[in-house]
Amino acid sequence: MMALFEARHIHKRFGAQVVLEDISLAFEEGAVSGIMGPNGAGKTTCFHVLTGYHRPDRGTISFDGRDVTGQPPQALARVGISRSFQIMNLFDQSAVIENVMVALPEFRARRRRLARPVFGDRDLVGAARDILHQVGLAGRESERAEALPYGARRALEIGVALAGRPRILFLDEPTSGLGAEATQNLATLIRKLRDRYTIVMIEHDMRFLFDLADRISVVHWGQVIAEGTPATLGRNKWVQRSALGELA
């Protein structure tokens, strides 16, 4: 069975520093996949390469059988690949619904520069409302983004990523900055979204990742040193010797 998204033999260096060395990853359609590893392991660089923010020095990346190696984020978004960021990137002074509307392909195709003139377009408003419903923000359309609690802002950022109608959604440290209740709400959201999207997460909260992911890849020293289901990784010797052993 062909993976929806696959990276093969990815290498990346910055000057004399080799950050990724022969990384290969595959993400199955309809699954939640995780990438984890200690600080400095190369996982963030790996995520940037997978989502078009760094071009690999060697190796190939394919999506749904199409070679997308080295394509920029805008091109990847057009074929169905979207992502969020560890540091949120929202229009804080704009309404919640405006943040989503400006990310809709229909809005961008019209080359409009302001969101307010399109509020009379029922199709655009309806599409944005549907996305806000998906991420649990129905009824908060007119609130300013900056006024939302941090967890709701994280949900809005995911909504903005979903506005591009992706088939695969990459989430970069989605629990970063969240408290216990907001983290639990995010887990509930991801469980709901997995019915409609393929999801890949890089995440430092191992309990969160182990609870949600179907399969996890462990990146260390710029390489994939282990991969499998959470149960399989729980028996992995590297995991057992690390701080992750308590979770596993």
Side-chain angles (χ1 to χ4, degrees):
M1 182 178 179
M2 180 182 297
L4 177 64
F5 188 103
E6 189 167 9
R8 295 183 179 180
H9 309 298
I10 298 297
H11 293 252
K12 183 64 183 177
R13 66 188 300 159
F14 296 98
Q17 182 182 11
V18 176
V19 182
L20 302 178
E21 185 176 1
D22 200 24
I23 290 262
S24 291
L25 295 163
F27 307 126
E28 299 294 335
E29 187 165 18
V32 175
S33 300
I35 299 173
M36 70 180 193
N39 291 334
K43 60 185 186 297
T44 298
T45 298
C46 179
F47 214 65
H48 287 331
V49 170
L50 297 180
T51 55
Y53 288 84
H54 293 324
R55 185 182 182 91
D57 297 321
R58 297 203 306 274
T60 60
I61 299 172
S62 62
F63 174 65
D64 197 22
R66 175 189 303 186
D67 186 351
V68 294
T69 308
Q71 292 192 18
Q74 297 86 346
L76 296 182
R78 286 193 291 271
V79 299
I81 300 170
S82 189
R83 68 165 287 179
S84 71
F85 293 87
Q86 182 177 356
I87 300 175
M88 284 185 281
N89 185 23
L90 298 172
F91 295 113
D92 282 338
Q93 299 300 313
S94 298
V96 166
I97 195 169
E98 289 178 315
N99 273 266
V100 174
M101 289 178 72
V102 297
L104 290 168
E106 301 95 316
F107 180 93
R108 297 188 175 191
R110 298 179 188 187
R111 301 184 182 277
R112 294 185 184 266
R113 297 187 178 274
L114 296 174
R116 296 194 184 280
V118 302
F119 272 84
D121 189 319
R122 293 183 179 180
D123 290 337
L124 281 177
V125 172
R129 288 182 182 276
D130 177 66
I131 291 166
L132 291 173
H133 177 75
Q134 288 183 52
V135 299
L137 293 176
R140 309 189 77 162
E141 294 86 350
S142 62
E143 294 183 37
R144 286 207 304 189
E146 66 177 358
L148 294 177
Y150 196 83
R153 284 170 56 81
R154 183 65 73 186
L156 176 57
E157 190 203 23
I158 293 174
V160 171
L162 295 180
R165 300 192 179 90
R167 290 181 60 191
I168 187 167
L169 174 65
F170 286 84
L171 301 178
D172 185 1
E173 300 277 11
T175 69
S176 180
L178 298 184
E181 182 179 355
T183 296
Q184 185 56 50
N185 291 339
L186 179 63
T188 300
L189 171 59
I190 290 175
R191 288 190 181 99
K192 186 169 70 170
L193 294 178
R194 68 180 301 157
D195 293 334
R196 301 180 66 168
Y197 306 96
T198 299
I199 298 173
V200 181
M201 294 187 289
I202 181 174
E203 181 52 59
H204 69 280
D205 185 334
M206 294 301 102
R207 189 177 301 279
F208 181 86
L209 195 58
F210 268 59
D211 284 347
L212 289 170
D214 298 298
R215 190 171 182 85
I216 299 171
S217 299
V218 181
V219 175
H220 200 14
W221 304 294
Q223 300 174 316
V224 177
I225 64 168
E227 57 186 341
T229 64
T232 299
L233 288 180
R235 298 188 294 270
N236 180 274
K237 291 181 179 179
W238 184 90
V239 174
Q240 291 174 349
R241 289 196 300 266
S242 73
L244 301 176
E246 295 180 5
L247 273 181

